[in-house]
Amino acid sequence: MIAGLAIKSLRNRRFTAGLTVLSIALAVLLLLGVERLRHESRESFAATVSGTDLVVGARSSPVHLLLSVVFHIGNASNNLRWETYRAFAARPEVAWTIPLSLGDSHRGYRVLGTSTDYFEHLRFGRDRRLRFAQGHAPESGHDAVLGADVAQALHYRTGQSVVIAHGAGDVSFSLHEQHPFKISGVLERTGTPVDRTVHVSLQGLDAVHEDADADAADPLAAALRDGQTDAAGEPRAITAFLMGLKSRSTALGMQRRVNEYTAEPLTAVLPGVALQEIWEITGAVEKTLSAVSMLVVAVGLAGMLVALLTSLSERRREMAVLRSVGARPSQIFALILGEAAVLTLLGIALGVIALYAGLILGRPWLESRLGLFIMVGWPSAYEVALMAMVALAGVLIGLVPAWRIYRHSLADGMSIRI
């Protein structure tokens, strides 16, 4: 009965009620949206290095090495020698390794030189392996495999040719038109930096640099001369390599061996530890966004309080009529409290609907532009707790106008002529 009266009363004030519901919905949308993006961005970063025990590169900070090599943010400072890579790859504790060579690009997308081990051993998500949407892995030094975003954005298909260039940014310093690559395959979408990468073989990448080095007047080509192949057809240097161990219990010992390697200065990164450092760096920003979201929710609920309080004087006649037909003060109290609860619950429901609609519609843009793979699933336990907190706050705020109307006596209500 009380719920029905509350809904009918809100219908009579549908414009004010609608604005109140909208303000609460927007506040809930922002609160849950920030939490979902925070959680999914962490999951997306962690999914990129699933199954990799160590990331090894030249001496650098762990965060810088992880960001440059795995997430393609920034550039690696130095290379490491091929002999060093082979020495660690041959150790009995090592199950597999993936050599990586960076420094070139194609129309703003990073070019990664690697071996066939990349397509065999790299894992993402929950131990998911790379799969081909079209074609196959490189079979020669002239083949290239594109990530899903590269193929979609540039409208490439297997069989077409691509030309890479010096430099890892949007600006290309020198095109290697004399050494085009033929697209042999396109990978399925992963939601990781793999989607935004052009993959070529180490031999093909070194052949490009060898041709470029013929022009000794090019200082950038000379700087890349360390990546030339040696007499055995192997590269002299690579940017870094990923390592998978036969037993994860040996990870700390292997990290110490790499960091103490005397032949050249190296850094071995435990991906989980480096990611934790990144979250500590970004933690202040996340807390600030959460605080802003909470303030927006508070403003939305305060707007509901103002709307209910300002309507009390206009509704004294309505309350008087209800009292005259037998409604008790406790029922009037429950009516006002019910209106606050209905407004809050409608706002939460509308905010959740808007959130999921935004996730479904904006997911392709987030994947292609920001590399965030957002899962559209059921709300997490923390998100449910946030919604319950907002609902409880809405009910508690409704106590203020409910208590005020409760204190109005029957004589006060009937003093207004009807």
mmCIF file of all heavy atoms in Angstrom, residues 184-235:
data_model
loop_
_atom_site.group_PDB
_atom_site.id
_atom_site.type_symbol
_atom_site.label_atom_id
_atom_site.label_comp_id
_atom_site.label_asym_id
_atom_site.label_seq_id
_atom_site.Cartn_x
_atom_site.Cartn_y
_atom_site.Cartn_z
ATOM 1 N N SER A 184 51.351 -12.670 -44.152
ATOM 2 C CA SER A 184 51.055 -14.106 -44.194
ATOM 3 C C SER A 184 49.907 -14.491 -43.273
ATOM 4 O O SER A 184 49.320 -15.569 -43.423
ATOM 5 C CB SER A 184 52.295 -14.913 -43.798
ATOM 6 O OG SER A 184 52.639 -14.669 -42.435
ATOM 7 N N GLY A 185 49.585 -13.630 -42.299
ATOM 8 C CA GLY A 185 48.509 -13.971 -41.387
ATOM 9 C C GLY A 185 48.042 -12.775 -40.581
ATOM 10 O O GLY A 185 48.739 -11.766 -40.456
ATOM 11 N N VAL A 186 46.828 -12.906 -40.031
ATOM 12 C CA VAL A 186 46.243 -11.903 -39.141
ATOM 13 C C VAL A 186 45.769 -12.634 -37.889
ATOM 14 O O VAL A 186 45.044 -13.632 -37.969
ATOM 15 C CB VAL A 186 45.056 -11.171 -39.798
ATOM 16 C CG1 VAL A 186 44.409 -10.209 -38.802
ATOM 17 C CG2 VAL A 186 45.511 -10.425 -41.040
ATOM 18 N N LEU A 187 46.188 -12.151 -36.738
ATOM 19 C CA LEU A 187 45.844 -12.794 -35.477
ATOM 20 C C LEU A 187 44.436 -12.422 -35.028
ATOM 21 O O LEU A 187 43.926 -11.345 -35.358
ATOM 22 C CB LEU A 187 46.836 -12.383 -34.390
ATOM 23 C CG LEU A 187 48.282 -12.858 -34.578
ATOM 24 C CD1 LEU A 187 49.193 -12.154 -33.578
ATOM 25 C CD2 LEU A 187 48.376 -14.366 -34.422
ATOM 26 N N GLU A 188 43.817 -13.313 -34.263
ATOM 27 C CA GLU A 188 42.546 -12.996 -33.636
ATOM 28 C C GLU A 188 42.770 -11.950 -32.545
ATOM 29 O O GLU A 188 43.863 -11.809 -32.012
ATOM 30 C CB GLU A 188 41.920 -14.258 -33.030
ATOM 31 C CG GLU A 188 41.441 -15.270 -34.058
ATOM 32 C CD GLU A 188 40.755 -16.455 -33.410
ATOM 33 O OE1 GLU A 188 40.707 -16.502 -32.157
ATOM 34 O OE2 GLU A 188 40.266 -17.337 -34.154
ATOM 35 N N ARG A 189 41.707 -11.234 -32.221
ATOM 36 C CA ARG A 189 41.809 -10.171 -31.223
ATOM 37 C C ARG A 189 42.132 -10.760 -29.848
ATOM 38 O O ARG A 189 41.571 -11.770 -29.432
ATOM 39 C CB ARG A 189 40.507 -9.380 -31.155
ATOM 40 C CG ARG A 189 40.585 -8.124 -30.291
ATOM 41 C CD ARG A 189 39.307 -7.327 -30.410
ATOM 42 N NE ARG A 189 39.079 -6.935 -31.789
ATOM 43 C CZ ARG A 189 39.665 -5.910 -32.389
ATOM 44 N NH1 ARG A 189 40.543 -5.172 -31.713
ATOM 45 N NH2 ARG A 189 39.401 -5.607 -33.633
ATOM 46 N N THR A 190 43.043 -10.095 -29.139
ATOM 47 C CA THR A 190 43.451 -10.549 -27.810
ATOM 48 C C THR A 190 43.145 -9.533 -26.711
ATOM 49 O O THR A 190 43.163 -9.879 -25.530
ATOM 50 C CB THR A 190 44.956 -10.841 -27.788
ATOM 51 O OG1 THR A 190 45.678 -9.608 -28.013
ATOM 52 C CG2 THR A 190 45.333 -11.855 -28.848
ATOM 53 N N GLY A 191 42.909 -8.265 -27.079
ATOM 54 C CA GLY A 191 42.741 -7.238 -26.064
ATOM 55 C C GLY A 191 44.049 -6.834 -25.410
ATOM 56 O O GLY A 191 44.055 -6.259 -24.320
ATOM 57 N N THR A 192 45.174 -7.122 -26.054
ATOM 58 C CA THR A 192 46.507 -6.795 -25.535
ATOM 59 C C THR A 192 47.272 -6.006 -26.599
ATOM 60 O O THR A 192 46.784 -5.839 -27.725
ATOM 61 C CB THR A 192 47.288 -8.075 -25.191
ATOM 62 O OG1 THR A 192 47.634 -8.750 -26.416
ATOM 63 C CG2 THR A 192 46.442 -9.009 -24.321
ATOM 64 N N PRO A 193 48.502 -5.515 -26.296
ATOM 65 C CA PRO A 193 49.290 -4.819 -27.315
ATOM 66 C C PRO A 193 49.585 -5.645 -28.557
ATOM 67 O O PRO A 193 49.987 -5.089 -29.578
ATOM 68 C CB PRO A 193 50.581 -4.463 -26.565
ATOM 69 C CG PRO A 193 50.158 -4.332 -25.139
ATOM 70 C CD PRO A 193 49.111 -5.381 -24.949
ATOM 71 N N VAL A 194 49.413 -6.960 -28.494
ATOM 72 C CA VAL A 194 49.595 -7.800 -29.688
ATOM 73 C C VAL A 194 48.690 -7.323 -30.822
ATOM 74 O O VAL A 194 49.065 -7.374 -31.994
ATOM 75 C CB VAL A 194 49.305 -9.277 -29.346
ATOM 76 C CG1 VAL A 194 49.302 -10.151 -30.604
ATOM 77 C CG2 VAL A 194 50.336 -9.794 -28.350
ATOM 78 N N ASP A 195 47.508 -6.836 -30.479
ATOM 79 C CA ASP A 195 46.555 -6.400 -31.503
ATOM 80 C C ASP A 195 47.064 -5.208 -32.292
ATOM 81 O O ASP A 195 46.615 -4.974 -33.421
ATOM 82 C CB ASP A 195 45.210 -6.035 -30.858
ATOM 83 C CG ASP A 195 44.548 -7.213 -30.179
ATOM 84 O OD1 ASP A 195 44.892 -8.355 -30.535
ATOM 85 O OD2 ASP A 195 43.695 -6.998 -29.303
ATOM 86 N N ARG A 196 47.979 -4.444 -31.722
ATOM 87 C CA ARG A 196 48.457 -3.216 -32.352
ATOM 88 C C ARG A 196 49.907 -3.342 -32.805
ATOM 89 O O ARG A 196 50.646 -2.359 -32.832
ATOM 90 C CB ARG A 196 48.313 -2.043 -31.384
ATOM 91 C CG ARG A 196 46.894 -1.844 -30.880
ATOM 92 C CD ARG A 196 46.760 -0.651 -29.953
ATOM 93 N NE ARG A 196 47.616 -0.775 -28.778
ATOM 94 C CZ ARG A 196 47.323 -1.514 -27.722
ATOM 95 N NH1 ARG A 196 46.217 -2.216 -27.698
ATOM 96 N NH2 ARG A 196 48.145 -1.562 -26.686
ATOM 97 N N THR A 197 50.298 -4.570 -33.166
ATOM 98 C CA THR A 197 51.692 -4.850 -33.501
ATOM 99 C C THR A 197 51.798 -5.547 -34.852
ATOM 100 O O THR A 197 50.956 -6.380 -35.192
ATOM 101 C CB THR A 197 52.337 -5.739 -32.416
ATOM 102 O OG1 THR A 197 52.199 -5.102 -31.144
ATOM 103 C CG2 THR A 197 53.806 -5.970 -32.704
ATOM 104 N N VAL A 198 52.845 -5.183 -35.607
ATOM 105 C CA VAL A 198 53.210 -5.882 -36.841
ATOM 106 C C VAL A 198 54.375 -6.811 -36.503
ATOM 107 O O VAL A 198 55.424 -6.359 -36.043
ATOM 108 C CB VAL A 198 53.620 -4.891 -37.944
ATOM 109 C CG1 VAL A 198 54.054 -5.645 -39.197
ATOM 110 C CG2 VAL A 198 52.470 -3.944 -38.260
ATOM 111 N N HIS A 199 54.186 -8.110 -36.702
ATOM 112 C CA HIS A 199 55.192 -9.108 -36.329
ATOM 113 C C HIS A 199 55.948 -9.581 -37.561
ATOM 114 O O HIS A 199 55.331 -9.993 -38.550
ATOM 115 C CB HIS A 199 54.531 -10.310 -35.651
ATOM 116 C CG HIS A 199 53.627 -9.949 -34.515
ATOM 117 N ND1 HIS A 199 52.303 -9.565 -34.702
ATOM 118 C CD2 HIS A 199 53.862 -9.907 -33.178
ATOM 119 C CE1 HIS A 199 51.766 -9.309 -33.529
ATOM 120 N NE2 HIS A 199 52.684 -9.502 -32.588
ATOM 121 N N VAL A 200 57.278 -9.523 -37.483
ATOM 122 C CA VAL A 200 58.130 -10.029 -38.560
ATOM 123 C C VAL A 200 59.209 -10.909 -37.928
ATOM 124 O O VAL A 200 59.384 -10.929 -36.708
ATOM 125 C CB VAL A 200 58.778 -8.888 -39.370
ATOM 126 C CG1 VAL A 200 57.710 -8.020 -40.031
ATOM 127 C CG2 VAL A 200 59.686 -8.041 -38.485
ATOM 128 N N SER A 201 59.931 -11.633 -38.752
ATOM 129 C CA SER A 201 60.996 -12.492 -38.228
ATOM 130 C C SER A 201 62.234 -11.654 -37.925
ATOM 131 O O SER A 201 62.439 -10.575 -38.486
ATOM 132 C CB SER A 201 61.337 -13.576 -39.246
ATOM 133 O OG SER A 201 61.941 -12.997 -40.388
ATOM 134 N N LEU A 202 63.047 -12.161 -37.022
ATOM 135 C CA LEU A 202 64.307 -11.487 -36.716
ATOM 136 C C LEU A 202 65.197 -11.397 -37.953
ATOM 137 O O LEU A 202 65.854 -10.376 -38.187
ATOM 138 C CB LEU A 202 65.048 -12.240 -35.604
ATOM 139 C CG LEU A 202 64.466 -12.133 -34.197
ATOM 140 C CD1 LEU A 202 65.207 -13.090 -33.262
ATOM 141 C CD2 LEU A 202 64.552 -10.704 -33.674
ATOM 142 N N GLN A 203 65.204 -12.455 -38.751
ATOM 143 C CA GLN A 203 66.017 -12.455 -39.966
ATOM 144 C C GLN A 203 65.546 -11.387 -40.946
ATOM 145 O O GLN A 203 66.348 -10.680 -41.564
ATOM 146 C CB GLN A 203 65.986 -13.836 -40.623
ATOM 147 C CG GLN A 203 66.661 -14.938 -39.833
ATOM 148 C CD GLN A 203 65.813 -15.420 -38.654
ATOM 149 O OE1 GLN A 203 64.621 -15.126 -38.585
ATOM 150 N NE2 GLN A 203 66.444 -16.166 -37.762
ATOM 151 N N GLY A 204 64.225 -11.268 -41.107
ATOM 152 C CA GLY A 204 63.699 -10.252 -42.005
ATOM 153 C C GLY A 204 64.001 -8.851 -41.535
ATOM 154 O O GLY A 204 64.353 -7.965 -42.319
ATOM 155 N N LEU A 205 63.880 -8.629 -40.212
ATOM 156 C CA LEU A 205 64.157 -7.303 -39.663
ATOM 157 C C LEU A 205 65.628 -6.955 -39.814
ATOM 158 O O LEU A 205 65.984 -5.815 -40.145
ATOM 159 C CB LEU A 205 63.748 -7.270 -38.196
ATOM 160 C CG LEU A 205 63.646 -5.893 -37.537
ATOM 161 C CD1 LEU A 205 62.589 -5.047 -38.220
ATOM 162 C CD2 LEU A 205 63.316 -6.043 -36.059
ATOM 163 N N ASP A 206 66.512 -7.935 -39.604
ATOM 164 C CA ASP A 206 67.941 -7.681 -39.755
ATOM 165 C C ASP A 206 68.315 -7.438 -41.209
ATOM 166 O O ASP A 206 69.218 -6.649 -41.496
ATOM 167 C CB ASP A 206 68.744 -8.857 -39.203
ATOM 168 C CG ASP A 206 68.716 -8.874 -37.686
ATOM 169 O OD1 ASP A 206 68.640 -7.794 -37.091
ATOM 170 O OD2 ASP A 206 68.759 -9.980 -37.104
ATOM 171 N N ALA A 207 67.621 -8.115 -42.131
ATOM 172 C CA ALA A 207 67.883 -7.874 -43.548
ATOM 173 C C ALA A 207 67.535 -6.441 -43.922
ATOM 174 O O ALA A 207 68.237 -5.797 -44.707
ATOM 175 C CB ALA A 207 67.085 -8.861 -44.397
ATOM 176 N N VAL A 208 66.460 -5.927 -43.356
ATOM 177 C CA VAL A 208 66.075 -4.535 -43.597
ATOM 178 C C VAL A 208 67.159 -3.592 -43.103
ATOM 179 O O VAL A 208 67.582 -2.665 -43.803
ATOM 180 C CB VAL A 208 64.737 -4.224 -42.896
ATOM 181 C CG1 VAL A 208 64.462 -2.722 -42.916
ATOM 182 C CG2 VAL A 208 63.601 -4.963 -43.573
ATOM 183 N N HIS A 209 67.656 -3.823 -41.891
ATOM 184 C CA HIS A 209 68.674 -2.949 -41.329
ATOM 185 C C HIS A 209 70.002 -3.090 -42.065
ATOM 186 O O HIS A 209 70.756 -2.134 -42.183
ATOM 187 C CB HIS A 209 68.855 -3.266 -39.840
ATOM 188 C CG HIS A 209 67.674 -2.888 -39.014
ATOM 189 N ND1 HIS A 209 67.440 -3.406 -37.766
ATOM 190 C CD2 HIS A 209 66.638 -2.043 -39.277
ATOM 191 C CE1 HIS A 209 66.332 -2.881 -37.279
ATOM 192 N NE2 HIS A 209 65.825 -2.047 -38.176
ATOM 193 N N GLU A 210 70.282 -4.267 -42.546
ATOM 194 C CA GLU A 210 71.525 -4.472 -43.289
ATOM 195 C C GLU A 210 71.509 -3.660 -44.574
ATOM 196 O O GLU A 210 72.511 -3.036 -44.947
ATOM 197 C CB GLU A 210 71.710 -5.955 -43.590
ATOM 198 C CG GLU A 210 73.073 -6.293 -44.172
ATOM 199 C CD GLU A 210 73.264 -7.792 -44.313
ATOM 200 O OE1 GLU A 210 72.237 -8.502 -44.435
ATOM 201 O OE2 GLU A 210 74.404 -8.248 -44.303
ATOM 202 N N ASP A 211 70.337 -3.644 -45.249
ATOM 203 C CA ASP A 211 70.222 -2.833 -46.460
ATOM 204 C C ASP A 211 70.317 -1.351 -46.140
ATOM 205 O O ASP A 211 70.946 -0.583 -46.864
ATOM 206 C CB ASP A 211 68.894 -3.129 -47.161
ATOM 207 C CG ASP A 211 68.855 -4.536 -47.745
ATOM 208 O OD1 ASP A 211 69.933 -5.127 -47.921
ATOM 209 O OD2 ASP A 211 67.744 -5.037 -48.003
ATOM 210 N N ALA A 212 69.692 -0.982 -45.006
ATOM 211 C CA ALA A 212 69.718 0.437 -44.646
ATOM 212 C C ALA A 212 71.113 0.894 -44.265
ATOM 213 O O ALA A 212 71.511 2.032 -44.500
ATOM 214 C CB ALA A 212 68.747 0.705 -43.496
ATOM 215 N N ASP A 213 71.887 -0.016 -43.671
ATOM 216 C CA ASP A 213 73.232 0.346 -43.232
ATOM 217 C C ASP A 213 74.188 0.578 -44.401
ATOM 218 O O ASP A 213 75.310 1.046 -44.203
ATOM 219 C CB ASP A 213 73.801 -0.756 -42.336
ATOM 220 C CG ASP A 213 73.184 -0.704 -40.955
ATOM 221 O OD1 ASP A 213 72.490 0.292 -40.667
ATOM 222 O OD2 ASP A 213 73.383 -1.649 -40.184
ATOM 223 N N ALA A 214 73.760 0.217 -45.586
ATOM 224 C CA ALA A 214 74.613 0.476 -46.742
ATOM 225 C C ALA A 214 74.835 1.968 -46.931
ATOM 226 O O ALA A 214 75.832 2.404 -47.503
ATOM 227 C CB ALA A 214 73.992 -0.129 -47.997
ATOM 228 N N ASP A 215 73.874 2.758 -46.414
ATOM 229 C CA ASP A 215 74.016 4.209 -46.488
ATOM 230 C C ASP A 215 74.700 4.679 -45.209
ATOM 231 O O ASP A 215 74.066 4.912 -44.190
ATOM 232 C CB ASP A 215 72.641 4.860 -46.639
ATOM 233 C CG ASP A 215 72.736 6.370 -46.797
ATOM 234 O OD1 ASP A 215 73.874 6.874 -46.902
ATOM 235 O OD2 ASP A 215 71.677 7.030 -46.821
ATOM 236 N N ALA A 216 76.015 4.781 -45.248
ATOM 237 C CA ALA A 216 76.765 5.131 -44.043
ATOM 238 C C ALA A 216 76.518 6.554 -43.587
ATOM 239 O O ALA A 216 76.863 6.921 -42.467
ATOM 240 C CB ALA A 216 78.261 4.939 -44.302
ATOM 241 N N ALA A 217 75.925 7.386 -44.454
ATOM 242 C CA ALA A 217 75.673 8.764 -44.074
ATOM 243 C C ALA A 217 74.467 8.890 -43.167
ATOM 244 O O ALA A 217 74.214 9.959 -42.616
ATOM 245 C CB ALA A 217 75.461 9.627 -45.322
ATOM 246 N N ASP A 218 73.697 7.823 -43.033
ATOM 247 C CA ASP A 218 72.498 7.872 -42.199
ATOM 248 C C ASP A 218 72.879 7.544 -40.766
ATOM 249 O O ASP A 218 73.193 6.404 -40.450
ATOM 250 C CB ASP A 218 71.475 6.843 -42.717
ATOM 251 C CG ASP A 218 70.156 6.911 -41.954
ATOM 252 O OD1 ASP A 218 70.085 7.679 -40.972
ATOM 253 O OD2 ASP A 218 69.214 6.198 -42.352
ATOM 254 N N PRO A 219 72.885 8.511 -39.849
ATOM 255 C CA PRO A 219 73.310 8.236 -38.482
ATOM 256 C C PRO A 219 72.390 7.271 -37.757
ATOM 257 O O PRO A 219 72.829 6.507 -36.907
ATOM 258 C CB PRO A 219 73.288 9.630 -37.815
ATOM 259 C CG PRO A 219 72.334 10.430 -38.649
ATOM 260 C CD PRO A 219 72.482 9.926 -40.049
ATOM 261 N N LEU A 220 71.096 7.319 -38.064
ATOM 262 C CA LEU A 220 70.174 6.406 -37.407
ATOM 263 C C LEU A 220 70.429 4.978 -37.861
ATOM 264 O O LEU A 220 70.397 4.036 -37.069
ATOM 265 C CB LEU A 220 68.725 6.800 -37.710
ATOM 266 C CG LEU A 220 67.649 5.970 -37.018
ATOM 267 C CD1 LEU A 220 67.850 5.976 -35.508
ATOM 268 C CD2 LEU A 220 66.275 6.477 -37.385
ATOM 269 N N ALA A 221 70.731 4.800 -39.148
ATOM 270 C CA ALA A 221 71.064 3.467 -39.644
ATOM 271 C C ALA A 221 72.327 2.954 -38.981
ATOM 272 O O ALA A 221 72.435 1.764 -38.650
ATOM 273 C CB ALA A 221 71.239 3.505 -41.163
ATOM 274 N N ALA A 222 73.279 3.838 -38.780
ATOM 275 C CA ALA A 222 74.501 3.418 -38.112
ATOM 276 C C ALA A 222 74.234 3.005 -36.672
ATOM 277 O O ALA A 222 74.857 2.080 -36.153
ATOM 278 C CB ALA A 222 75.530 4.555 -38.147
ATOM 279 N N ALA A 223 73.288 3.698 -36.030
ATOM 280 C CA ALA A 223 72.945 3.339 -34.654
ATOM 281 C C ALA A 223 72.310 1.969 -34.578
ATOM 282 O O ALA A 223 72.424 1.273 -33.568
ATOM 283 C CB ALA A 223 71.997 4.386 -34.061
ATOM 284 N N LEU A 224 71.643 1.567 -35.650
ATOM 285 C CA LEU A 224 70.997 0.260 -35.683
ATOM 286 C C LEU A 224 71.926 -0.843 -36.169
ATOM 287 O O LEU A 224 71.518 -1.992 -36.311
ATOM 288 C CB LEU A 224 69.756 0.307 -36.590
ATOM 289 C CG LEU A 224 68.584 1.134 -36.063
ATOM 290 C CD1 LEU A 224 67.533 1.294 -37.145
ATOM 291 C CD2 LEU A 224 67.967 0.480 -34.842
ATOM 292 N N ARG A 225 73.168 -0.527 -36.427
ATOM 293 C CA ARG A 225 74.090 -1.492 -36.987
ATOM 294 C C ARG A 225 74.340 -2.666 -36.052
ATOM 295 O O ARG A 225 74.667 -3.762 -36.478
ATOM 296 C CB ARG A 225 75.407 -0.786 -37.310
ATOM 297 C CG ARG A 225 76.347 -1.597 -38.170
ATOM 298 C CD ARG A 225 77.436 -0.697 -38.714
ATOM 299 N NE ARG A 225 76.867 0.265 -39.647
ATOM 300 C CZ ARG A 225 77.375 1.482 -39.847
ATOM 301 N NH1 ARG A 225 78.412 1.896 -39.164
ATOM 302 N NH2 ARG A 225 76.802 2.294 -40.711
ATOM 303 N N ASP A 226 74.113 -2.442 -34.738
ATOM 304 C CA ASP A 226 74.301 -3.526 -33.784
ATOM 305 C C ASP A 226 73.314 -4.655 -34.019
ATOM 306 O O ASP A 226 73.482 -5.752 -33.517
ATOM 307 C CB ASP A 226 74.140 -3.017 -32.344
ATOM 308 C CG ASP A 226 75.334 -2.186 -31.926
ATOM 309 O OD1 ASP A 226 76.395 -2.349 -32.541
ATOM 310 O OD2 ASP A 226 75.180 -1.394 -30.996
ATOM 311 N N GLY A 227 72.239 -4.409 -34.752
ATOM 312 C CA GLY A 227 71.249 -5.443 -34.997
ATOM 313 C C GLY A 227 71.510 -6.238 -36.238
ATOM 314 O O GLY A 227 70.695 -7.062 -36.640
ATOM 315 N N GLN A 228 72.633 -6.066 -36.915
ATOM 316 C CA GLN A 228 72.936 -6.820 -38.118
ATOM 317 C C GLN A 228 73.148 -8.283 -37.779
ATOM 318 O O GLN A 228 73.525 -8.648 -36.673
ATOM 319 C CB GLN A 228 74.208 -6.282 -38.784
ATOM 320 C CG GLN A 228 74.046 -4.887 -39.385
ATOM 321 C CD GLN A 228 75.335 -4.444 -40.027
ATOM 322 O OE1 GLN A 228 76.258 -5.230 -40.195
ATOM 323 N NE2 GLN A 228 75.387 -3.198 -40.416
ATOM 324 N N THR A 229 72.921 -9.131 -38.747
ATOM 325 C CA THR A 229 73.192 -10.544 -38.562
ATOM 326 C C THR A 229 74.684 -10.790 -38.654
ATOM 327 O O THR A 229 75.420 -10.076 -39.310
ATOM 328 C CB THR A 229 72.476 -11.365 -39.644
ATOM 329 O OG1 THR A 229 72.858 -10.885 -40.926
ATOM 330 C CG2 THR A 229 70.987 -11.256 -39.488
ATOM 331 N N ASP A 230 75.133 -11.864 -37.975
ATOM 332 C CA ASP A 230 76.535 -12.240 -38.074
ATOM 333 C C ASP A 230 76.707 -13.260 -39.198
ATOM 334 O O ASP A 230 75.791 -13.517 -39.967
ATOM 335 C CB ASP A 230 77.024 -12.796 -36.732
ATOM 336 C CG ASP A 230 76.191 -13.974 -36.288
ATOM 337 O OD1 ASP A 230 75.537 -14.584 -37.142
ATOM 338 O OD2 ASP A 230 76.196 -14.283 -35.075
ATOM 339 N N ALA A 231 77.879 -13.836 -39.254
ATOM 340 C CA ALA A 231 78.160 -14.756 -40.353
ATOM 341 C C ALA A 231 77.274 -15.983 -40.313
ATOM 342 O O ALA A 231 77.027 -16.611 -41.334
ATOM 343 C CB ALA A 231 79.637 -15.176 -40.293
ATOM 344 N N ALA A 232 76.768 -16.366 -39.138
ATOM 345 C CA ALA A 232 75.923 -17.553 -39.019
ATOM 346 C C ALA A 232 74.461 -17.256 -39.296
ATOM 347 O O ALA A 232 73.628 -18.134 -39.182
ATOM 348 C CB ALA A 232 76.076 -18.146 -37.620
ATOM 349 N N GLY A 233 74.136 -16.032 -39.643
ATOM 350 C CA GLY A 233 72.751 -15.673 -39.932
ATOM 351 C C GLY A 233 71.937 -15.332 -38.711
ATOM 352 O O GLY A 233 70.721 -15.230 -38.782
ATOM 353 N N GLU A 234 72.600 -15.144 -37.566
ATOM 354 C CA GLU A 234 71.903 -14.800 -36.344
ATOM 355 C C GLU A 234 72.126 -13.324 -36.035
ATOM 356 O O GLU A 234 73.166 -12.759 -36.370
ATOM 357 C CB GLU A 234 72.409 -15.659 -35.182
ATOM 358 C CG GLU A 234 72.078 -17.137 -35.334
ATOM 359 C CD GLU A 234 72.579 -17.931 -34.154
ATOM 360 O OE1 GLU A 234 73.518 -17.467 -33.475
ATOM 361 O OE2 GLU A 234 72.045 -19.040 -33.912
ATOM 362 N N PRO A 235 71.149 -12.672 -35.360
ATOM 363 C CA PRO A 235 71.334 -11.258 -35.024
ATOM 364 C C PRO A 235 72.429 -11.076 -33.982
ATOM 365 O O PRO A 235 72.682 -11.973 -33.160
ATOM 366 C CB PRO A 235 69.962 -10.857 -34.457
ATOM 367 C CG PRO A 235 69.368 -12.121 -33.980
ATOM 368 C CD PRO A 235 69.844 -13.185 -34.917
#
